[in-house]
Every structure is written in C-alpha cells, then in structure tokens.
C-alpha cells in the first residue's frame, strides 16, 4: 500500500503530495502527449490535450494491470505557464473525473518546447503496483 508523506507541521498541499512511500512492482510510463493513439492532435487547447494525455497515460498503465490509484509520481512539461494557470479549473475537473481523489508526488516544469510542435503538455508517470 502506498503512503503519503507529510512531515509534521507541514500544510497539506493542494493537488499533489510532497512524497509517496511505495513498495511493489514498478511501472514507468514514457512521456505522453495530447494526441490520439493514431498520432493525431484532435484538440489544440491545453485542457483538451491534458485530457488526452491522461487518457493515454491510463491506457498504458492498464496494460500493466495498474490504475490511477497506483500512480506515485508525475512530471508535467508544459510550454506555457499562463496557459496552464488559465486552465486550472478545467484541469481539476478532468483530474477528478479520470484520476479521482488520488494525488501523487508531482512537478510541473515550463519548457521552451516539446518535440511535437503542436503539443502543449507532456507527462511522465511512475506507478507502483503493490506486491
């Protein structure tokens, strides 16, 4: 079972965990972007690409028998901080719909660009399936 790490006296973070302790079989998901499985961008906006990125991530996890509850770490690469901040309400709704009340350790990093020029976000994910 995974355990959220929250040092004594620290406030609980919103939307992520400071750390996760986990034991079991590890699953590493390569950076997923907001295109459909056929390699075509259906959505051009941040929130739409975020939804597709999470759906892609969950599909890869399912191949290993893992679900959103097994995610222990995510690194998000975004191309525009303002675009990300403007989409937070939509991101939160999509997160609650697809991931639920599970908040892994996360980092969000603004980058100059991604390999696919049309991509607005890329997310790497690590999951641990309990033994």
């Amino acid at each position: 079972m995974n355990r959220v790490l929250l040092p004594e006296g620290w406030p609980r973070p919103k939307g992520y965990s400071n750390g996760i302790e986990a034991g079991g079989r590890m699953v590493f998901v390569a950076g997923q972007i907001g295109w459909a499985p056929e390699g075509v961008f259906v959505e051009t906006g941040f929130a739409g690409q975020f939804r597709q990125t999470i759906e892609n991530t969950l599909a890869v996890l399912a191949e290993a028998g893992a679900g959103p509850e097994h995610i222990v770490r995510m690194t998000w690469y975004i191309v525009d901080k303002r675009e990300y901040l403007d989409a937070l309400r939509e991101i939160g709704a999509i997160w609650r719909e697809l991931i639920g009340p599970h908040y892994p350790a996360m980092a969000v990093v603004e980058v100059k660009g991604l390999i696919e020029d049309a991509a607005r976000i890329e997310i790497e994910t690590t999951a641990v399936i309990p033994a």
Side-chain angles (χ1 to χ4, degrees):
M1 199 65 175
N2 297 341
R3 182 173 72 96
V4 174
L5 305 175
L6 182 63
E8 187 176 333
W10 284 30
R12 182 170 302 283
K14 295 180 182 177
Y16 67 96
S17 296
N18 288 310
I20 301 286
E21 177 184 31
R25 187 166 48 98
M26 297 180 75
V27 180
F28 301 93
V29 180
Q32 297 296 306
I33 59 176
W35 60 13
E38 302 79 27
V40 180
F41 287 96
V42 177
E43 296 285 340
T44 57
F46 192 92
Q49 285 198 18
F50 173 73
R51 173 182 288 281
Q52 186 64 59
T53 299
I54 295 298
E55 289 174 353
N56 294 346
T57 298
L58 294 175
V60 174
L61 288 173
E63 283 296 307
E69 70 277 12
H70 299 115
I71 298 171
V72 296
R73 179 171 178 74
M74 295 178 113
T75 303
W76 300 19
Y77 302 95
I78 61 171
V79 296
D80 187 321
K81 178 182 172 181
R82 177 55 39 208
E83 184 179 36
Y84 162 76
L85 293 173
D86 290 345
L88 280 178
R89 185 177 300 271
E90 292 171 281
I91 290 168
I94 293 165
W95 183 273
R96 288 185 299 278
E97 176 189 341
L98 299 178
I99 304 289
H102 178 69
Y103 300 101
M106 285 195 257
V108 179
V109 181
E110 184 179 31
V111 295
K112 181 177 178 180
L114 297 168
I115 295 300
E116 293 296 330
D117 289 334
R120 310 307 301 152
I121 184 170
E122 182 170 341
I123 300 177
E124 293 179 315
T125 302
T126 303
V128 178
I129 302 171

